[in-house]
Amino acid sequence: MLIQRLIEHTENSGQEKTPRYYRNRTVRWAIMLDRDGKASLISRADADNKAGSSLPTPYLTRTSGVAAMLLADTLEYVFAIAKDGTDKAQAGAERRNDAYLALLKEWKDANADPVADLVWETFEAERHLDLLTGLPADAKSSDMVAIVVEGEWAHVRPSAVSFWARIARDRKSSGNDGLCLVCGHVNALLKTIPEMVKSTLIPVGLDAAGRPKRGRDAALISVNTAAQGRTGTIQLANTPICEECGGSAMAALNDLLSNDRHRRRGDDNVLIWWLREPADFDPLVIDAPHLKDVQRLLREVRDSQPGTLVEDNAFYALTLSANQSRVVVRDWLDVPLPEIKRRFAAWFLDHASTDRWSDGVKYVPLWQMVAASGRWNRARKVYQPGSAAHGLERNLLHAALHGTPLPPSLVPQLLHRIRNDHHIDLPRVAMLRLALTRPPYKENVMPGLNETATDPPYVWGRLFALLEAIQRRALPEANATIRDRYFGLAMTQPAATMRMLRTNANGHLKKLIGKEATRPAGRALDGRLASISLLIDHKVGLPAHLDARGQVQFILGYDHQRAFDMAAARAAKAAKNTSDTVDA
């Protein structure tokens, strides 16, 4: 199914930007030939591309064997430049050069192309070896070199493209015809998949310093040892795929992996997506949830009436990672387009939350949620790079795409972080609300303050925020707030913490009410404290201990109350400014 959908994408997109069995590679050197056979060697490096610029060149997966590429290959193949000074390396370079020359002659013999004749005559007469005098000493045997004849790259001539396609089929074909499992037709079957996924296209994780690790080229299907094949059979003998299907699928896969509009790169995985038919939907809104885009999506889903419209468009998404030289398919999704829109709408509705620093409901980018699972650096006021929960990004993405619950480990991990660093911000609150809204909790949690909620942990969170505000108003110069000292205790032991803090708050309120300048504020805070306390059943009181679900409710109540108070303060300030302007 996956390979069929990739082939459909190739057909629907009219994708023929790069010839089959060609890949964009960095070409460092160019051999320039004129019609008289005069040759020169030029460097393609410049200030922006110190290793040369990228070109589509003939390419097939090359392992340890000798396999020359037509016209564009390394200095080792073209000039027999060895990797080092050993006899073994020199012998290997000469074998590779022989293969390169044999391929040039085969191309010349197979076509009536005057360019093929000219190139072969130059190499047969060994005039190309004269160019070695112009090669700097630091040139690497792995540097790519291609041939330009009269201003045209020889490897993109029609005769070269068609000849290389035939060579590729011969190298990768099993030599047998059979029923292709993908297209269902009898065709020449592949021995191995003709191309690998380039190493740079699939992230493989970060090192200890938070830098991306270097990966390898990886194969989508690889059966090269007896332990991996059914009954010990290796290669694609038990997975019959024809050359046309294998080549088209890999071309589509590499194209999608290279396209910024169709991929999302994580730390150790990459998501690619496409639609059966073009449509106005971009799943990357999950990383940049602009308000107008999210509101349009929510409106579209809300206004749609399931069952009244025939929608045959489909959404496909594939999540890949790499294990050494093999591609790992982490997730595959094939759903109708309205369904994926409904799931994305649910994702935004389930995590939307108010923010202390601005009015209205906010939607949080997925990458910010992932970062917020890490360790908070209080001195630098950032999350420590590389400290995010391992695998969380992939799990959150899976939850968004499939509409499923968050991983069970998320809530304990977040609560552990918050107990230790006491840091609460919009991404953490959004994740906690998301977790509480979906199974196994499935609670109806408001995105902002719920003034009528009587759930003791939620009310306790509101009370703690108010106690903190009272302390801040009474002791504005205090070095440490009650959050700094008691937040971890308050998360787990509400009753004991409340008894201690309420006694302190009485003193703070007495101080505020005792001064004329702060008396109105003190009375207002005292009244609010009393009114919120009434939401608790005084026959039962606050619980002695909170479980994970109660701790989440406590944090949400605390954050919602703070966001509500700051929004009220902004509104009061704006009203005062308006009043002052009118009076003036």
Side-chain angles (χ1 to χ4, degrees):
M1 183 65 76
L2 163 60
I3 294 179
Q4 289 173 335
R5 297 296 172 254
L6 286 170
I7 294 170
E8 285 178 5
H9 173 68
T10 305
E11 295 169 349
N12 295 339
S13 63
Q15 179 191 90
E16 280 299 336
K17 301 168 191 171
T18 303
R20 178 78 59 85
Y21 308 118
Y22 277 56
R23 175 187 281 190
N24 284 326
R25 304 179 75 190
T26 301
V27 177
R28 175 73 172 80
W29 304 97
I31 298 173
M32 312 296 291
L33 280 179
D34 63 18
R35 64 181 61 187
D36 298 324
K38 185 179 178 181
S40 60
L41 183 70
I42 65 167
S43 168
R44 302 187 69 246
D46 55 32
D48 296 328
N49 302 287
K50 295 182 179 178
S53 55
S54 180
L55 287 177
T57 65
Y59 179 80
L60 285 176
T61 300
R62 185 159 59 192
T63 54
S64 58
V66 175
M69 309 296 170
L70 181 65
L71 291 163
D73 213 321
T74 63
L75 290 174
E76 185 179 26
Y77 273 86
V78 178
F79 290 107
I81 295 177
K83 298 175 183 175
D84 53 47
T86 64
D87 293 341
K88 181 180 178 181
Q90 188 57 50
E94 289 173 1
R95 283 200 308 275
R96 288 170 173 77
N97 182 242
D98 289 344
Y100 180 81
L101 296 177
L103 194 61
L104 288 184
K105 184 174 188 306
E106 196 175 344
W107 173 47
K108 172 254 183 190
D109 292 341
N111 298 278
D113 188 340
V115 170
D117 294 337
L118 178 62
V119 171
W120 171 244
E121 288 169 6
T122 302
F123 278 78
E124 185 183 32
E126 298 185 348
R127 288 198 296 275
H128 67 294
L129 298 180
D130 298 338
L131 304 177
L132 289 176
T133 56
L135 204 61
D138 60 351
K140 301 175 183 174
S141 64
S142 58
D143 286 349
M144 286 285 296
V145 55
I147 300 172
V148 178
V149 179
E150 290 290 307
E152 179 190 25
W153 291 107
H155 63 266
V156 299
R157 291 180 64 79
S159 66
V161 173
S162 61
F163 174 75
W164 179 246
R166 181 174 66 79
I167 293 294
R169 285 193 290 270
D170 291 346
R171 286 186 187 177
K172 295 298 179 182
S173 172
S174 66
N176 300 318
D177 289 349
L179 184 67
C180 173
L181 286 182
V182 179
C183 64
H185 299 144
V186 175
N187 284 318
L189 299 178
L190 288 170
K191 180 171 59 180
T192 61
I193 291 294
E195 290 184 67
M196 299 182 83
V197 177
K198 200 173 180 180
S199 60
T200 56
L201 296 180
I202 300 181
V204 292
L206 304 175
D207 61 18
R211 295 169 301 196
K213 294 180 183 176
R214 185 182 179 88
R216 301 180 184 175
D217 285 3
L220 181 62
I221 305 173
S222 175
V223 187
N224 55 5
T225 65
Q228 298 166 336
R230 187 184 306 165
T231 67
T233 306
I234 62 172
Q235 298 181 338
L236 299 182
N238 289 320
T239 314
I241 300 175
C242 71
E243 183 271 338
E244 182 65 26
C245 290
S248 296
M250 289 308 300
L253 182 60
N254 279 309
D255 177 68
L256 290 166
L257 285 168
S258 305
N259 191 333
D260 288 336
R261 296 180 58 190
H262 286 271
R263 71 174 181 183
R264 181 191 182 279
R265 290 172 64 89
D267 290 339
D268 62 353
N269 66 88
V270 58
L271 167 78
I272 58 173
W273 66 273
W274 66 102
L275 300 172
R276 180 185 295 162
E277 303 290 340
D280 184 19
F281 175 69
D282 185 356
L284 299 184
V285 67
I286 202 169
D287 274 327
H290 299 301
L291 187 60
K292 62 180 178 56
D293 296 332
V294 176
Q295 288 179 338
R296 184 175 59 190
L297 174 66
L298 297 178
R299 191 165 50 246
E300 183 180 349
V301 172
R302 186 183 63 241
D303 294 344
S304 65
Q305 299 180 25
T308 61
L309 179 67
V310 176
E311 175 61 80
D312 60 355
N313 204 350
F315 174 86
Y316 309 116
L318 178 63
T319 305
L320 302 175
S321 63
N323 181 6
Q324 301 294 333
S325 57
R326 286 181 173 79
V327 173
V328 180
V329 177
R330 295 288 184 182
D331 191 24
W332 164 242
L333 185 63
D334 176 353
V335 294
L337 182 57
E339 174 61 19
I340 194 64
K341 289 183 177 179
R342 188 192 64 76
R343 293 179 186 178
F344 268 62
W347 170 265
F348 289 119
L349 287 173
D350 289 350
H351 84 248
S353 299
T354 52
D355 186 21
R356 282 181 296 149
W357 307 110
S358 58
D359 295 334
V361 172
K362 307 298 177 189
Y363 305 100
V364 182
L366 186 142
W367 64 269
Q368 286 188 3
M369 293 186 184
V370 176
S373 69
R375 191 168 56 254
W376 177 252
N377 186 325
R378 181 173 293 188
R380 299 178 57 195
K381 298 190 181 304
V382 295
Y383 287 104
Q384 194 69 27
S387 65
H390 179 68
L392 179 61
E393 182 178 42
R394 196 165 57 233
N395 290 330
L396 289 179
L397 200 56
H398 183 275
L401 290 170
H402 293 265
T404 53
L406 301 187
S409 60
L410 176 63
V411 168
Q413 286 174 332
L414 271 181
L415 293 178
H416 172 74
R417 292 291 191 200
I418 293 173
R419 263 195 307 272
N420 283 284
D421 58 31
H422 302 172
H423 181 71
I424 300 172
D425 58 10
L426 179 60
R428 284 184 170 180
V429 168
M431 271 193 288
L432 290 175
R433 178 172 181 253
L434 184 61
L436 219 54
T437 304
R438 297 194 170 196
Y441 303 108
K442 296 184 71 173
E443 295 194 14
N444 184 20
V445 183
M446 300 288 285
L449 183 65
N450 183 354
E451 295 182 273
T452 60
T454 57
D455 188 26
Y458 187 83
V459 177
W460 166 228
R462 294 184 60 191
L463 286 172
F464 192 89
L466 198 56
L467 292 171
E468 184 184 29
I470 292 171
Q471 185 209 32
R472 190 184 309 111
R473 190 64 187 260
L475 304 172
E477 304 299 329
N479 292 327
T481 67
I482 63 171
R483 185 179 68 165
D484 297 328
R485 292 181 174 178
Y486 303 114
F487 196 80
L489 188 65
M491 283 177 64
T492 54
Q493 301 179 40
T497 313
M498 179 61 175
R499 282 194 294 272
M500 176 174 55
L501 296 182
R502 189 65 177 87
T503 303
N504 294 340
N506 288 339
H508 296 151
L509 288 170
K510 185 177 180 181
K511 180 178 179 181
L512 290 172
I513 295 173
K515 296 180 181 178
E516 185 176 350
T518 58
R519 185 171 300 136
R523 286 175 174 169
L525 288 168
D526 190 24
R528 289 176 60 201
L529 191 61
S531 64
I532 295 176
S533 298
L534 290 176
L535 296 171
I536 298 176
D537 184 349
H538 286 276
K539 294 180 181 177
V540 179
L542 289 173
H545 300 279
L546 292 182
D547 58 9
R549 177 256 170 207
Q551 292 178 43
V552 173
Q553 284 283 12
F554 164 76
I555 293 169
L556 292 178
Y558 172 75
D559 185 78
H560 289 174
Q561 184 64 54
R562 287 201 307 169
F564 179 84
D565 290 345
M566 292 188 71
R570 284 193 296 273
K573 184 177 181 181
K576 183 176 183 303
N577 291 339
T578 303
S579 175
D580 292 345
T581 303
V582 172
D583 293 342

